[in-house]
Amino acid sequence: MLDIFINAMHIKELIKPDGRHLTLYSNQPIPDGLVAPSPFQEPQNANPHLRWHPLRGEWVTYAAYRQNRTYQPPPQYNPLAPTSDPAHPTEMPAGDYEIAVFDNRFPSLAFDSHDPPTGLTVPTAPANGHCEVVVFTQDPVAALATLPLSRIELLLQVWGDRTTRIGGRHHIHYVLPFENRGAEVGVTLHHPHGQIYAYPFVPSVPAKMLAQEREYYLQHGSSLLVDMARDEVADGKRVLYQDEYAVAFVPACARYPYETWVMPSSPCKDFASLTPRQREALARALKTVLLKYEGLWDRPFPYLMAWYQAPTDGGAHPETQLHAELFPPYRTRDRLKFLAGTELGAGMFAMDVLPETTAYELQQVAVRLEEGA
């Protein structure tokens, strides 16, 4: 057991019976005596591997044991709820803490993966990365949108701490925190949580973004996303939140009807670089967007949220801007946006509604960030 105190954030590190790491985070001291439970007593011995896709020029990861992971269990068998019966442990200990992070039992990437298959028609490699589960709250019926701003600020700190820790190990080059919310985007556990994937390379999507950011920075000496956010604020038609330190908007180039980007207003390359004021504003911006989603149709609103930041490859990356992109799957109240031939076959998205229209809908949703506010 290891207790750490970093930037007013209390951290306690524990080891599960099957050898996986569990880290607890809180704004308040975490009591002693907590034990890391696990539904499993033996290690998974996960050994995923990579196969090269020659036409797309990118790696695909394979982990067949993931077919056996827990899938939408009933509430009484929620593996992310705190353990109430030691004879039937979950992944989470009972006790006073706010956020928990633990090694994924069914990872798509693993630090010690080895001996990939040989003799295939494409190159292979060990999937030497890392996958973690981030549990936002002990309350199984809460949502990230309903958590207090202090908890969301803490979560931003947690993502920064995990990026710093993982990014310095095993030649990890990119750390991606994300959240899938709702059965519509494939969630297998409805308890509020997200994941972190750490890659031994920069994956194709952020790599393409970085190339565009780098070219713009070389031409203009400034951040592409910061300049874009400034222009969005000046235009005003698609802005959902704005203050001195953070902004949220439906981008003019949105590929999903209710797609939204959230970011600091000034250059900031990763979570660890956030100032306290930027972190506070970013929490307010994110919660504003999520509450607008919830209030749009007065029901839980599914989305995929990905946070992009600088690679952890040792480079300076002044061109990069920390930001979130949220992709809700609905195009109307009762119709999902499915990726069709032009999206999957050609990579060109087709939109049936203007970003200005959906931004206006979200702008009309009044939100209250805290009780009494």
Side-chain angles (χ1 to χ4, degrees):
M1 180 186 298
L2 180 64
D3 292 303
I4 306 172
F5 182 71
I6 301 176
N7 296 328
M9 179 172 60
H10 297 266
I11 306 172
K12 188 177 292 288
E13 298 180 355
L14 305 168
I15 303 294
K16 290 175 171 287
D18 59 356
R20 289 178 296 141
H21 293 262
L22 169 71
T23 307
L24 306 177
Y25 293 87
S26 183
N27 287 309
Q28 306 298 326
I30 302 171
D32 294 328
L34 298 184
V35 177
S38 174
F40 313 95
Q41 297 302 307
E42 299 299 325
Q44 173 73 269
N45 295 319
N47 190 25
H49 70 274
L50 304 174
R51 300 186 188 189
W52 182 250
H53 193 304
L55 283 177
R56 297 182 64 93
E58 62 191 27
W59 290 106
V60 181
T61 184
Y62 293 83
Y65 49 82
R66 283 176 53 81
Q67 290 279 35
N68 299 319
R69 67 190 188 274
T70 306
Y71 182 79
Q72 296 188 0
Q76 63 269 31
Y77 297 111
N78 176 10
L80 301 185
T83 297
S84 57
D85 180 1
H88 301 282
T90 68
E91 295 281 15
M92 302 280 286
D96 189 8
Y97 58 90
E98 296 183 69
I99 293 174
V101 180
F102 61 86
D103 295 344
N104 196 323
R105 172 76 179 183
F106 305 95
S108 296
L109 305 159
F111 281 139
D112 55 358
S113 63
H114 58 88
D115 299 317
T118 58
L120 301 179
T121 57
V122 295
T124 65
N128 292 135
H130 189 55
C131 297
E132 295 184 333
V133 178
V134 183
V135 183
F136 302 153
T137 173
Q138 297 186 33
D139 183 354
V141 298
L144 185 55
T146 66
L147 297 181
L149 288 168
S150 61
R151 179 68 57 87
I152 299 176
E153 287 185 56
L154 177 63
L155 178 60
L156 297 173
Q157 281 189 281
V158 169
W159 283 332
D161 183 62
R162 302 317 300 174
T163 298
T164 300
R165 294 186 190 213
I166 303 170
R169 298 179 59 188
H170 294 265
H171 307 290
I172 293 298
H173 282 192
Y174 202 84
V175 179
L176 179 79
F178 63 91
E179 181 196 7
N180 300 329
R181 193 203 179 198
E184 295 90 340
V185 295
V187 166
T188 59
L189 299 172
H190 291 292
H191 191 114
H193 74 287
Q195 299 183 62
I196 295 174
Y197 272 37
Y199 306 88
F201 50 83
V202 180
S204 58
V205 169
K208 191 171 183 178
M209 293 180 181
L210 285 162
Q212 294 298 113
E213 289 180 295
R214 189 176 303 113
E215 181 178 353
Y216 185 93
Y217 185 82
L218 290 174
Q219 290 181 3
H220 302 276
S222 59
S223 163
L224 169 60
L225 280 174
V226 171
D227 288 355
M228 183 176 177
R230 180 200 61 215
D231 293 342
E232 287 287 353
V233 169
D235 179 81
K237 294 186 181 70
R238 292 170 296 274
V239 175
L240 303 182
Y241 179 91
Q242 174 201 354
D243 67 17
E244 184 178 353
Y245 299 100
V247 61
F249 55 92
V250 176
C253 54
R255 299 182 304 163
Y256 287 79
Y258 296 95
E259 178 179 339
T260 303
W261 296 3
V262 183
M263 55 180 282
S265 300
S266 58
C268 178
K269 69 175 185 176
D270 54 25
F271 287 107
S273 301
L274 287 169
T275 67
R277 286 188 173 181
Q278 284 178 317
R279 193 161 49 241
E280 178 183 3
L282 204 57
R284 297 180 69 86
L286 177 58
K287 182 165 182 174
T288 295
V289 170
L290 297 179
L291 286 175
K292 285 180 176 291
Y293 281 170
E294 297 292 285
L296 182 63
W297 297 319
D298 294 318
R299 71 184 194 206
F301 198 88
Y303 57 82
L304 188 154
M305 174 176 64
W307 282 89
Y308 298 102
Q309 55 182 331
T312 56
D313 57 3
H317 295 288
E319 77 280 6
T320 309
Q321 178 70 1
L322 171 69
H323 74 288
E325 297 188 11
L326 291 92
F327 308 107
Y330 278 99
R331 57 190 178 95
T332 67
R333 177 187 291 268
D334 54 4
R335 294 181 182 178
L336 290 167
K337 175 178 173 59
F338 294 102
L339 299 188
T342 184
E343 285 95 357
L344 287 178
M348 178 177 153
F349 277 65
M351 281 279 281
D352 301 327
V353 61
L354 294 177
E356 294 76 32
T357 302
T358 52
Y360 179 78
E361 292 179 50
L362 291 170
Q363 288 170 343
Q364 304 314 300
V365 180
V367 302
R368 178 178 294 178
L369 293 181
E370 300 281 26
E371 288 301 321

